[in-house]
Amino acid sequence: MTTPAVAEQAPRLPWYRQLAPRCAAGAARLLVRLPPARLHRVLGVVSKGSRPAGHAEVARARRSVVSVSTRCAGLGCLQRSVATVLLCRAHGRWADWCTGFRTEPFGAHAWVEAEGRPVDEPGELSVFRTVLAVRRPDGRRSTSDRPLRPSRGSRS
């Protein structure tokens, strides 16, 4: 995924509000090791039965995750995005989870969206082509949200 020049800063949470973000960041650390198609399926299952999250709520969850995890604050955009949606899901909500790439210069990135726009992402994301996304908790997906099919010889 893309490499930021400087780690994000977030206000430190009081100790009693750190448990849920730490659990989300830890679960995300394990989930990002899955192959992309499997991660997409897992997040699709996790999103079922939730309501859409608001932009302010997702921004708060993202700041919480960045506050408790140096990996999420820096180079870990995939872990940060997964941890953010998991923290939102713990509250019964779902933020749109997206991954994509750009070609000039080549780069990959993962981010979250709420109310149709990216949440607290530096830079312009319109140059990224979305490859995988888990957008709607009702199970409907658009064609751009379908995972890439693995080739015959690969396993996922």
Side-chain angles (χ1 to χ4, degrees):
M1 301 291 161
T2 57
T3 307
V6 178
E8 292 185 38
Q9 298 294 317
R12 185 157 171 95
L13 294 174
W15 65 269
Y16 55 88
R17 291 190 54 218
Q18 292 182 14
L19 181 61
R22 285 186 186 278
C23 289
R29 186 174 177 109
L30 297 174
L31 287 173
V32 299
R33 295 175 182 223
L34 294 174
R38 188 165 293 154
L39 174 60
H40 183 264
R41 283 193 304 270
V42 167
L43 291 178
V45 169
V46 170
S47 72
K48 291 184 190 234
S50 60
R51 297 176 313 240
H55 196 273
E57 182 179 8
V58 177
R60 206 170 26 256
R62 189 177 186 282
R63 280 192 306 272
S64 295
V65 166
V66 167
S67 170
V68 299
S69 168
T70 55
R71 175 93 174 136
C72 291
L75 303 175
C77 64
L78 182 59
Q79 185 177 337
R80 177 177 55 244
S81 65
V82 172
T84 300
V85 296
L86 291 177
L87 186 55
C88 288
R89 184 61 182 104
H91 296 286
R93 305 292 185 146
W94 187 257
D96 297 340
W97 175 80
C98 306
T99 62
F101 69 94
R102 67 174 181 229
T103 56
E104 294 294 329
F106 182 80
H109 190 50
W111 66 95
V112 291
E113 294 179 356
E115 300 171 356
R117 62 183 204 259
V119 177
D120 294 346
E121 286 295 325
E124 183 58 43
L125 289 180
S126 65
V127 298
F128 285 89
R129 174 167 161 49
T130 302
V131 177
L132 291 176
V134 178
R135 294 190 185 277
R136 296 177 200 87
D138 60 6
R140 292 179 298 162
R141 297 189 306 183
S142 67
T143 52
S144 68
D145 296 342
R146 291 193 184 115
L148 299 173
R149 297 280 181 224
S151 63
R152 265 185 197 263
S154 69
R155 303 175 112 191
S156 69

